[in-house]
Amino acid sequence: MNLTNAKIQNYNKQVGLKFQLYNSLFTALPFHRVEKTGVLLSTFLLHCEEGYNKQQSPVEIIDTFFQQYTSYQNEQEQIDLLFRFVQYAERQVVLFDAVEDAAFGDIYDLNGIGTLKHLQSEVLHSNKRAQLAEKLKDFSVRLVLTAHPTQFYPSEVLGIINDLSNAIIRDNTAEVNSFLQQLGKTPFFKKEKPTPYDEAVNLIWFLQNRFYPAAGRIMSNFKNQFQEEVNEENPLIRLGFWPGGDRDGNPYVKVNTTLKVAAELRTGILNAYYIDVHQLKSRLTFKGVSNVVASLEEKIHQNLSDPNHHADLTKEEIISTLKQIRTTLMEQHNGLFQEMVENLLRKVELFGLYFATLDIRQDSSVHSELMAEIAQHSSALPDNYTELSEAEKIDALLNIQETLDPSIFENELFRDTLETISAIKTIQKRNGENGCHRYIISHSTSALDVMHVYGLFKLGGWKTDELKVDIVPLFESIEDLRNAAKVMKTLYENEAYRKHLSKRNNIQTIMVGFSDGTKDGGYLMANFSIYKAKEALTQISKEYGIQVVFFDGRGGPPARGGGRTHQFYASLGSNIANKEIQLTIQGQTISSNFGTVDSAQFNMEQLMHAGISNALFYSDKLTQTKEEDDLLLSLSEKSYEAYNALKNHPGFLEYLNEVSPLRYYGQANIGSRPSKRKPGKLNLDDLRAVPYVGSWSQLKQNLPGYYGVGIALEKLEAEGKWEEVRQLYQSSLFFKTLMDNCEMAMCKSFFPLTAFLAEHPKYGALWTLIHEEFQRTKTQMLKLAGTTHLMEDKPINRLSIQMRQRIELPLLTIQQYALNKIREVREGGSDSESANMNVYEKMVVRCSFGIINAGRNSA
């Protein structure tokens, strides 16, 4: 038996068979007046599969199902059954998640390739301990949790998944049965949108229960392996946090939210420390340490019970106390339980009293409008500020001599923007500088956008030589990425900004975003533009003696820059700075990659290994040669041309709005942010990337993850360059990773679902255009990889996707059925259909939950 077959058999045993067992138990549970809903759902699934094989539409499939398998003639009875199907199917997804989580340690080699155990053997084998010590002086992996709504589980359901997984690990069928019953009765739908504070609290649960223990375990193991090389002054793992600080397009994030979330983060880490110290207290009952532990526990308790005690406790005091305890254990008690103290010490070194750095983010346009307002209503800026050139505006900002009182503004957004500047200082005082030290500017297009924020800090009362904040431009559109190096050159040559950077250790963090880049330029062009921008920014930063750190705005699915992210970092050579690895972790990626302590540890280690091994073993290797770059540029330009033609098709947005659930994203109440940046008529610029990509995903067309790739490959083949492309695929891990993630996007597509649109008078031409490109890309991809199936070299991921697709097929069918009914009503349907319009809209939204959650293995 070969290794691939063994892996598949193991996956089928650990996941497939267990899911079948528990699913049969689940579908037999009677949650409704009508018995055997679960049994009928199984029949409906088979009917769907047969129907699509016969090229039937979702409407035909559902109509024939009611005729053949039920006695329901009444429309209301039929609707009720479909809603029951939705309720069962979305909970089957939860069950599958729990089974897969429980099997993680059996499916993946937790000490294999890409782990720190593997790194240890590589370092020792190649005698690179000195190089490792040098790298660890300033290297870190920063995972920034965002509340981007790509997951639909309420916190109650996340708790059930956790308990269900543990029961499955223990093979406790009675407990599993109880949790399944709880699952059946727990609502998935939220009547109200969560507030940014709600989002923060939900994610702090992950910080405490997943990242905290996993990071502690990683650092304890790593310190044991490389005691001299690990630098205690440099946290190798850093966590970032956006809920409560990310204002970009979210009118519900206010300064009081920011302060409240920062306080919650501090409380969250103190709670975690308190639990660990309490466990220490129950073990360290010896002379000379018991009283010290008890005193530390009491001090942490005081800080938790009385917020006014926040000045009484510092990170340094906790570390000093733990080191004192460790010394006493070593000298007087033979090091008994010393590993418990070491584990807590590593965590305090990582997380201090802030847990995760709360980033502030706002759109550049808000700052521009605010500065124009300031010029009109104060003497801080000249009256004619808006008429000045960019260079003159920057001079005016540098010459600000006064502090502004935010209350002078009636506009709440302007007032909040200035108040936030003061709030950063408050958070730093309470949580430490790492509690909040980054201000990210969305849609950065010029040096002025950065200097606007620099000016805001002056207006907010910060002295320039005491400004302990990193100003981080975010370049995202194709044009902005192309101009990024020029923008940074202007900033590096500005004396005042250069002085600010010197106070920040001559380190400049630059964020590059994938989501809007993909929406703007298509899959290949977005990824290539980011790669070239990083290359140019690395070069210009070196020229000016600045250490650049890249912060990647990656998302869950490949179309949002996700997929196998550690492969991207492993592919980067010496032409792109890799001092740190920083990326956003959002939505379903949080639960899929970090949903258990084992998976969190595994995926953090993969990223750490990618960054460290690159520096140790591939520091002289370029990501790609000039010839490879030129070839990828040619592919990207051809892909961009094809994607642009589609994007500018007059019916493109209407197609997406009418045949996908795009217009209903806001009704799902899964995130606090609106689905559009600005109210009014739908346009691509204002449409957020999450609903854009998510709608294509629910349509099972996944267009942003591959469109244009097939055309580009086909054109290069016609130019006689196929062998060069094949060589690129084999020699460039960067290009191979791009293609792997493209395969994943296609593997999750299912065009039979919408094949009925091919004959639609309005949408038929667009559907055919998209389907043809899917088939073209698939053909070219299989030829390039030399395989017969998509994702053939990743059998476990492929199998997981296939199993999830079977679970979601009834949901997809019901959603398209409901969307079709809605279109019929809009086109002048019957009175009974009009009466059920709201019901069908609710059906679309309810189906979205299970469909999106089923795609959690997108990264």
Side-chain angles (χ1 to χ4, degrees):
M1 185 191 302
N2 64 37
L3 184 60
T4 297
N5 287 338
K7 285 182 176 179
I8 291 173
Q9 283 199 12
N10 183 49
Y11 184 86
N12 278 323
K13 176 185 173 184
Q14 300 295 339
V15 178
L17 289 175
K18 284 187 178 180
F19 174 72
Q20 287 180 24
L21 170 67
Y22 292 122
N23 188 46
S24 62
L25 180 70
F26 176 61
T27 52
L29 292 172
F31 295 125
H32 305 279
R33 296 186 306 276
V34 178
E35 301 282 338
K36 299 181 180 177
T37 301
V39 176
L40 267 177
L41 175 59
S42 301
T43 305
F44 180 58
L45 168 60
L46 294 173
H47 188 73
C48 288
E49 290 176 328
E50 290 172 6
Y52 289 121
N53 283 335
K54 295 176 184 174
Q55 298 181 324
Q56 290 181 335
S57 71
V59 172
E60 290 170 326
I61 288 169
I62 287 179
D63 285 347
T64 54
F65 174 78
F66 282 123
Q67 292 166 15
Q68 294 175 27
Y69 298 102
T70 76
S71 57
Y72 298 157
Q73 302 295 320
N74 181 288
E75 188 177 14
Q76 190 57 51
E77 288 180 325
Q78 294 177 352
I79 287 171
D80 286 347
L81 182 61
L82 291 177
F83 270 111
R84 288 200 296 275
F85 282 170
V86 172
Q87 184 179 11
Y88 267 87
E90 66 187 0
R91 284 158 176 78
Q92 285 178 314
V93 175
V94 174
L95 174 59
F96 193 85
D97 284 349
V99 172
E100 215 171 39
D101 283 350
F104 190 89
D106 296 310
I107 297 169
Y108 297 96
D109 184 354
L110 303 185
N111 294 313
I113 293 173
T115 64
L116 293 184
K117 194 76 175 175
H118 177 232
L119 180 68
Q120 178 189 17
S121 62
E122 288 178 302
V123 170
L124 296 178
H125 179 72
S126 57
N127 196 25
K128 295 263 187 178
R129 295 190 77 130
Q131 291 92 327
L132 175 65
E134 187 63 29
K135 178 65 178 174
L136 298 186
K137 282 182 181 177
D138 59 4
F139 173 76
S140 67
V141 168
R142 186 190 294 242
L143 304 175
V144 181
L145 276 63
T146 79
H148 289 45
T150 56
Q151 176 179 274
F152 288 63
Y153 290 142
S155 56
E156 299 84 358
V157 175
L158 287 171
I160 296 171
I161 294 176
N162 180 59
D163 296 339
L164 193 53
S165 294
N166 290 332
I168 291 169
I169 290 170
R170 298 192 303 272
D171 282 328
N172 190 327
T173 307
E175 267 194 12
V176 170
N177 187 47
S178 297
F179 292 138
L180 289 176
Q181 290 192 57
Q182 180 188 3
L183 192 62
K185 293 176 179 292
T186 301
F188 276 38
F189 185 74
K190 294 182 177 181
K191 292 183 179 178
E192 295 180 355
K193 278 182 175 290
T195 65
Y197 177 74
D198 295 333
E199 291 170 331
V201 170
N202 285 342
L203 287 187
I204 288 171
W205 183 93
F206 277 98
L207 291 180
Q208 290 176 306
N209 295 281
R210 297 295 180 260
F211 290 93
Y212 178 78
R217 197 193 286 176
I218 289 171
M219 290 312 304
S220 292
N221 294 341
F222 204 42
K223 180 73 172 173
N224 287 339
Q225 292 169 12
F226 299 106
Q227 193 161 1
E228 299 301 319
E229 288 76 15
V230 173
N231 181 358
E232 293 180 2
E233 299 301 313
N234 175 50
L236 289 177
I237 299 169
R238 301 171 189 260
L239 298 178
F241 208 74
W242 275 17
D246 182 8
R247 287 156 164 72
D248 178 14
N250 192 337
Y252 309 111
V253 178
K254 305 287 173 57
V255 70
N256 63 325
T257 315
T258 303
L259 292 168
K260 196 175 174 185
V261 169
E264 201 65 42
L265 284 165
R266 189 178 194 277
T267 299
I269 192 60
L270 284 176
N271 267 317
Y273 292 158
Y274 183 79
I275 292 168
D276 277 358
V277 171
H278 187 73
Q279 289 177 338
L280 268 181
K281 184 182 172 187
S282 67
R283 292 287 170 267
L284 303 184
T285 52
F286 327 134
K287 183 180 178 182
V289 289
S290 59
N291 59 323
V292 181
V293 176
S295 176
L296 180 59
E297 181 190 40
E298 177 57 26
K299 198 150 196 182
I300 294 173
H301 182 263
Q302 284 179 351
N303 265 257
L304 285 168
S305 57
D306 182 2
N308 293 323
H309 272 83
H310 65 254
D312 294 350
L313 188 66
T314 64
K315 168 188 173 181
E316 290 71 28
E317 181 184 352
I318 299 176
I319 288 176
S320 173
T321 305
L322 290 172
K323 285 183 175 179
Q324 177 191 338
I325 293 168
R326 180 180 64 182
T327 301
T328 307
L329 290 177
M330 290 167 61
E331 292 177 351
Q332 300 179 25
H333 303 289
N334 301 317
L336 191 58
F337 299 120
Q338 182 184 329
E339 71 281 354
M340 290 179 68
V341 179
E342 292 277 7
N343 187 277
L344 179 53
L345 193 52
R346 300 287 85 82
K347 292 171 181 171
V348 180
E349 287 167 354
L350 292 182
F351 304 126
L353 296 184
Y354 65 95
F355 213 161
T357 299
L358 184 61
D359 288 342
I360 306 298
R361 183 169 78 131
Q362 183 55 282
D363 192 89
S364 62
S365 63
V366 173
H367 305 137
S368 299
E369 291 167 13
L370 173 55
M371 290 304 175
E373 195 77 6
I374 289 170
Q376 278 190 335
H377 294 92
S378 80
S379 57
L381 290 171
D383 294 341
N384 65 337
Y385 178 80
T386 56
E387 298 161 20
L388 300 177
S389 67
E390 179 173 323
E392 289 170 332
K393 285 178 179 176
I394 290 174
D395 283 342
L397 292 166
L398 294 176
N399 286 318
I400 289 173
Q401 300 296 327
E402 59 188 90
T403 299
L404 275 190
D405 182 352
S407 65
I408 68 169
F409 295 105
E410 291 182 14
N411 183 299
E412 189 178 13
L413 177 59
F414 295 160
R415 198 165 59 244
D416 178 81
T417 304
L418 268 175
E419 287 173 345
T420 300
I421 299 299
S422 300
I424 294 172
K425 190 174 283 189
T426 302
I427 296 168
Q428 288 192 358
K429 186 178 178 183
R430 293 177 180 174
N431 293 12
E433 184 183 323
N434 282 325
C436 186
H437 68 90
R438 308 203 308 180
Y439 197 116
I440 299 162
I441 311 159
S442 299
H443 292 106
S444 291
T445 61
S446 66
L448 180 62
D449 288 333
V450 173
M451 297 311 293
H452 272 157
V453 174
Y454 184 82
L456 279 176
F457 279 100
K458 294 184 74 174
L459 291 165
W462 288 71
K463 294 178 181 176
T464 53
D465 57 347
E466 296 175 4
L467 181 52
K468 297 178 179 178
V469 179
D470 299 317
I471 304 174
V472 183
L474 165 53
F475 302 107
E476 198 153 18
S477 73
I478 304 302
E479 184 180 357
D480 292 345
L481 287 163
R482 286 172 177 166
N483 293 331
K486 191 166 67 174
V487 169
M488 296 314 299
K489 183 177 188 292
T490 303
L491 288 167
Y492 293 155
E493 290 179 349
N494 182 285
E495 187 179 342
Y497 189 73
R498 202 41 211 272
K499 188 177 178 183
H500 166 65
L501 283 181
S502 70
K503 299 282 185 184
R504 305 301 293 162
N505 299 315
N506 282 317
I507 296 171
Q508 173 68 59
T509 302
I510 298 174
M511 187 172 183
V512 288
F514 285 76
S515 302
D516 281 327
T518 309
K519 185 178 60 136
D520 180 38
Y523 180 72
L524 266 185
M525 180 55 85
N527 280 283
F528 184 70
S529 297
I530 288 162
Y531 160 67
K532 293 306 290 181
K534 282 186 172 183
E535 201 173 51
L537 288 164
T538 300
Q539 180 62 34
I540 197 73
S541 299
K542 273 184 184 176
E543 287 177 19
Y544 285 87
I546 302 296
Q547 174 66 66
V548 66
V549 173
F550 292 116
F551 175 23
D552 290 315
R554 292 177 172 275
R560 285 176 53 72
R564 300 173 69 81
T565 49
H566 61 273
Q567 279 188 201
F568 268 111
Y569 292 110
S571 74
L572 301 180
S574 59
N575 48 329
I576 291 178
N578 64 348
K579 178 179 179 291
E580 297 179 21
I581 288 177
Q582 297 190 14
L583 68 158
T584 52
I585 306 292
Q586 47 193 263
Q588 69 220 45
T589 313
I590 297 172
S591 58
S592 62
N593 281 12
F594 306 91
T596 67
V597 177
D598 279 348
S599 64
Q601 178 178 347
F602 181 79
N603 284 297
M604 281 194 277
E605 286 193 12
Q606 292 283 317
L607 288 167
M608 291 174 73
H609 181 278
I612 294 170
S613 63
N614 236 338
L616 266 58
F617 307 114
Y618 310 106
S619 59
D620 298 329
K621 179 179 177 293
L622 292 175
T623 307
Q624 292 184 161
T625 65
K626 170 74 167 58
E627 292 73 24
E628 289 173 334
D629 261 8
D630 290 344
L631 193 62
L632 190 45
L633 173 61
S634 182
L635 281 167
S636 300
E637 286 175 341
K638 289 173 171 56
S639 173
Y640 183 44
E641 187 181 337
Y643 177 77
N644 243 5
L646 179 76
K647 188 179 73 172
N648 294 321
H649 188 288
F652 180 71
L653 269 181
E654 184 188 344
Y655 175 89
L656 183 61
N657 206 34
E658 293 299 326
V659 304
S660 85
L662 175 64
R663 67 167 75 234
Y664 302 104
Y665 244 85
Q667 295 179 25
N669 292 335
I670 56 166
S672 66
R673 290 202 308 182
S675 57
K676 292 191 296 181
R677 284 189 170 87
K678 298 173 185 174
K681 187 179 178 182
L682 180 67
N683 67 74
L684 210 52
D685 288 338
D686 289 336
L687 178 61
R688 290 202 168 278
V690 168
Y692 177 73
V693 172
S695 296
W696 287 115
S697 172
Q698 290 188 64
L699 201 53
K700 304 310 285 184
Q701 293 181 4
N702 286 328
L703 176 150
Y706 63 82
Y707 197 92
V709 174
I711 288 174
L713 289 170
E714 192 174 76
K715 284 186 174 180
L716 279 191
E717 183 177 20
E719 292 173 12
K721 295 182 179 177
W722 182 258
E723 185 56 30
E724 293 174 47
V725 175
R726 197 180 65 80
Q727 286 294 330
L728 179 68
Y729 181 78
Q730 292 179 347
S731 64
S732 168
L733 181 57
F734 175 75
F735 183 59
K736 171 74 164 59
T737 304
L738 280 183
M739 295 299 99
D740 283 354
N741 287 338
C742 186
E743 279 192 66
M744 183 188 289
M746 287 190 292
C747 206
K748 293 187 172 188
S749 299
F750 183 65
F751 275 86
L753 176 71
T754 52
F756 68 96
L757 290 171
E759 306 302 322
H760 195 281
K762 190 182 287 188
Y763 308 127
L766 261 173
W767 185 91
T768 302
L769 199 63
I770 296 165
H771 181 242
E772 284 175 351
E773 175 58 5
F774 171 82
Q775 295 287 24
R776 185 184 296 112
T777 305
K778 182 179 176 182
T779 299
Q780 296 292 326
M781 197 67 69
L782 293 177
K783 182 179 176 182
L784 189 62
T787 55
T788 54
H789 302 289
L790 293 170
M791 294 184 71
E792 198 170 288
D793 62 336
K794 296 177 179 59
I796 300 306
N797 298 83
R798 185 167 178 264
L799 197 53
S800 174
I801 289 169
Q802 288 172 343
M803 288 183 176
R804 289 172 178 276
Q805 284 178 326
R806 284 205 83 213
I807 298 170
E808 69 176 338
L809 190 58
L811 294 168
L812 293 164
T813 305
I814 293 169
Q815 187 182 67
Q816 275 299 316
Y817 172 83
L819 285 167
N820 197 76
K821 290 287 187 183
I822 292 167
R823 285 197 299 274
E824 286 179 4
V825 171
R826 289 209 182 103
E827 291 165 7
S830 65
D831 291 341
S832 64
E833 286 176 329
S834 297
N836 283 319
M837 179 75 162
N838 290 338
V839 175
Y840 286 122
E841 289 183 330
K842 182 181 177 184
M843 192 178 285
V844 170
V845 174
R846 284 294 305 277
C847 288
S848 292
F849 287 75
I851 295 169
I852 290 290
N853 290 333
R856 76 183 291 211
N857 56 359
S858 58

